[in-house]
């Protein structure tokens, strides 16, 4: 069995959404070996830091929170689809030619995986693609961008997926991963009442 780490490293200079300062993680050492017999630190994290799972509450008032996520939804078989050739967005047209079946958890590999900075023009899943996933009744969609959509004022991609009960996984790193079938482990931190949480995502092959 091969374990592929598909998570972002968490550090102060990591890519954060739109480079917003308040989204940068802060790791503070409370104690070190110069002051005590052990090392202990404190971490401040945005809930959408790095590789993370979005909960429906992120976009739907009254939506489910991350602690209520059924773990069977994120510890599951999955398919990686390679869309590295796409410049702007993944639409229904690109998806229909792929072998996607009911119940699949789909990870979208794009050119986003090849950069280590936040790109304002990141490749995203547009609303026609989200509608297609809803039609097919997939269980989850992951992407290698810190957001699954951009430039859609109504957030139609998030809302369509959440309303259909589809899990959204963001901030994946898929450069080294070939298109194909894998087993995904992406359980998010169990934060009561939160609308999202970081996860250490891995693929088993
Ligand atoms: Zn998010």
């Amino acid at each position: 069995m091969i374990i592929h780490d598909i998570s972002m490293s968490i550090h102060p200079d990591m890519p954060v959404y739109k480079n917003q300062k308040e989204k940068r993680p802060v790791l503070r050492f409370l104690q070190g070996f110069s002051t005590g017999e052990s090392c202990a630190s404190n971490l401040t994290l945005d809930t959408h830091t790095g590789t993370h799972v979005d909960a429906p509450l992120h976009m739907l008032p009254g939506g489910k929170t991350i602690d209520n996520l059924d773990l069977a939804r994120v510890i599951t078989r999955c398919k990686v689809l390679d869309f590295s050739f796409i410049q702007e967005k993944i639409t229904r047209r690109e998806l229909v030619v792929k072998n996607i079946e009911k119940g699949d958890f789909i990870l979208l590999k794009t050119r986003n995986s090849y950069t280590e900075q936040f790109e304002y023009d990141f490749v995203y899943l547009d609303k026609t693609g989200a509608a297609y996933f809803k039609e097919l009744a997939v269980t989850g969609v992951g992407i290698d961008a810190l957001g699954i959509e951009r430039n859609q004022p109504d957030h139609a991609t998030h809302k369509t997926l959440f309303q259909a009960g589809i899990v959204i996984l963001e901030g994946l790193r898929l450069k080294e991963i070939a298109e194909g079938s894998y087993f995904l482990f992406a359980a998010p931190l169990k934060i009561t009442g939160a609308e999202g949480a970081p996860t250490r995502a891995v693929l088993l092959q």
Side-chain angles (χ1 to χ4, degrees), residues 47-49 52-55 58 146-148 158 168 170 195-196:
T47 45
H48 300 260
T49 299
H52 68 277
V53 181
D54 278 356
H58 184 40
L146 287 173
I148 198 165
H158 274 95
I168 301 177
E170 296 171 329
E195 82 304 334

Short mmCIF file of all heavy atoms in Angstrom, two decimals, residues 47-49 52-55 58 146-148 158 168 170 195-196, ligand 1:
data_model
loop_
_atom_site.label_atom_id
_atom_site.label_comp_id
_atom_site.label_asym_id
_atom_site.label_seq_id
_atom_site.Cartn_x
_atom_site.Cartn_y
_atom_site.Cartn_z
N THR A 47 -10.55 28.54 10.11
CA THR A 47 -11.15 27.21 9.90
C THR A 47 -10.99 26.71 8.46
O THR A 47 -11.10 25.51 8.22
CB THR A 47 -12.64 27.20 10.28
OG1 THR A 47 -13.24 28.36 9.73
CG2 THR A 47 -12.82 27.21 11.78
N HIS A 48 -10.69 27.62 7.53
CA HIS A 48 -10.49 27.21 6.13
C HIS A 48 -9.01 27.25 5.75
O HIS A 48 -8.65 27.54 4.61
CB HIS A 48 -11.33 28.09 5.19
CG HIS A 48 -12.80 28.01 5.48
ND1 HIS A 48 -13.67 27.24 4.75
CD2 HIS A 48 -13.54 28.57 6.48
CE1 HIS A 48 -14.89 27.35 5.27
NE2 HIS A 48 -14.83 28.15 6.31
N THR A 49 -8.15 26.96 6.72
CA THR A 49 -6.71 26.94 6.48
C THR A 49 -6.30 25.69 5.69
O THR A 49 -6.70 24.58 6.04
CB THR A 49 -5.94 26.93 7.82
OG1 THR A 49 -6.27 28.11 8.55
CG2 THR A 49 -4.43 26.89 7.60
N HIS A 52 -8.85 21.49 3.79
CA HIS A 52 -9.96 21.53 4.76
C HIS A 52 -11.27 21.06 4.15
O HIS A 52 -11.41 20.97 2.93
CB HIS A 52 -10.10 22.95 5.33
CG HIS A 52 -10.58 23.94 4.31
ND1 HIS A 52 -9.75 24.56 3.41
CD2 HIS A 52 -11.82 24.43 4.04
CE1 HIS A 52 -10.44 25.37 2.64
NE2 HIS A 52 -11.72 25.31 3.00
N VAL A 53 -12.21 20.78 5.04
CA VAL A 53 -13.55 20.39 4.62
C VAL A 53 -14.49 21.54 4.95
O VAL A 53 -14.42 22.12 6.04
CB VAL A 53 -14.01 19.10 5.35
CG1 VAL A 53 -15.41 18.68 4.89
CG2 VAL A 53 -13.02 17.96 5.12
N ASP A 54 -15.37 21.89 4.00
CA ASP A 54 -16.40 22.90 4.24
C ASP A 54 -17.65 22.18 4.74
O ASP A 54 -18.02 21.13 4.21
CB ASP A 54 -16.78 23.60 2.93
CG ASP A 54 -15.82 24.71 2.53
OD1 ASP A 54 -14.89 25.02 3.29
OD2 ASP A 54 -16.04 25.27 1.43
N ALA A 55 -18.32 22.77 5.72
CA ALA A 55 -19.62 22.23 6.15
C ALA A 55 -20.72 23.11 5.55
O ALA A 55 -20.47 24.28 5.22
CB ALA A 55 -19.70 22.23 7.67
N HIS A 58 -21.28 26.91 6.03
CA HIS A 58 -20.42 27.89 5.37
C HIS A 58 -21.24 28.78 4.42
O HIS A 58 -20.97 29.97 4.28
CB HIS A 58 -19.32 27.15 4.62
CG HIS A 58 -18.31 28.04 3.97
ND1 HIS A 58 -17.82 29.19 4.55
CD2 HIS A 58 -17.68 27.94 2.76
CE1 HIS A 58 -16.93 29.75 3.75
NE2 HIS A 58 -16.84 29.02 2.65
N LEU A 146 -8.00 26.81 -2.76
CA LEU A 146 -8.51 27.12 -1.42
C LEU A 146 -10.01 27.40 -1.45
O LEU A 146 -10.66 27.47 -0.40
CB LEU A 146 -7.74 28.29 -0.81
CG LEU A 146 -6.31 27.92 -0.37
CD1 LEU A 146 -5.54 29.16 0.07
CD2 LEU A 146 -6.35 26.90 0.77
N GLY A 147 -10.56 27.57 -2.65
CA GLY A 147 -12.00 27.71 -2.81
C GLY A 147 -12.44 26.83 -3.95
O GLY A 147 -11.67 26.60 -4.89
N ILE A 148 -13.67 26.34 -3.92
CA ILE A 148 -14.12 25.49 -5.03
C ILE A 148 -14.68 26.36 -6.15
O ILE A 148 -14.89 25.91 -7.27
CB ILE A 148 -15.13 24.42 -4.56
CG1 ILE A 148 -15.24 23.30 -5.59
CG2 ILE A 148 -16.48 25.03 -4.21
CD1 ILE A 148 -15.90 22.04 -5.09
N HIS A 158 -20.97 26.26 -4.44
CA HIS A 158 -21.09 25.82 -3.04
C HIS A 158 -22.53 25.44 -2.72
O HIS A 158 -22.80 24.37 -2.16
CB HIS A 158 -20.68 26.94 -2.08
CG HIS A 158 -19.22 27.04 -1.79
ND1 HIS A 158 -18.38 27.88 -2.47
CD2 HIS A 158 -18.44 26.43 -0.85
CE1 HIS A 158 -17.15 27.78 -1.98
NE2 HIS A 158 -17.15 26.90 -0.99
N ILE A 168 -17.69 19.04 0.38
CA ILE A 168 -16.71 19.87 -0.34
C ILE A 168 -15.37 19.84 0.41
O ILE A 168 -15.29 20.16 1.59
CB ILE A 168 -17.20 21.33 -0.47
CG1 ILE A 168 -18.53 21.38 -1.23
CG2 ILE A 168 -16.13 22.19 -1.17
CD1 ILE A 168 -19.12 22.79 -1.35
N GLU A 170 -11.39 21.16 0.09
CA GLU A 170 -10.62 22.19 -0.61
C GLU A 170 -9.16 22.18 -0.17
O GLU A 170 -8.82 21.65 0.89
CB GLU A 170 -11.22 23.57 -0.33
CG GLU A 170 -12.63 23.72 -0.87
CD GLU A 170 -13.34 24.99 -0.42
OE1 GLU A 170 -13.07 25.49 0.69
OE2 GLU A 170 -14.20 25.48 -1.18
N GLU A 195 -18.09 25.94 10.73
CA GLU A 195 -18.58 25.81 9.35
C GLU A 195 -17.52 25.21 8.43
O GLU A 195 -17.70 25.14 7.23
CB GLU A 195 -19.05 27.17 8.84
CG GLU A 195 -17.97 28.11 8.33
CD GLU A 195 -16.86 28.41 9.32
OE1 GLU A 195 -17.08 28.35 10.54
OE2 GLU A 195 -15.74 28.70 8.86
N GLY A 196 -16.41 24.75 9.04
CA GLY A 196 -15.36 24.10 8.27
C GLY A 196 -14.24 23.75 9.21
O GLY A 196 -14.20 24.24 10.35
ZN1 LIG B 1 -13.57 26.46 2.57
#
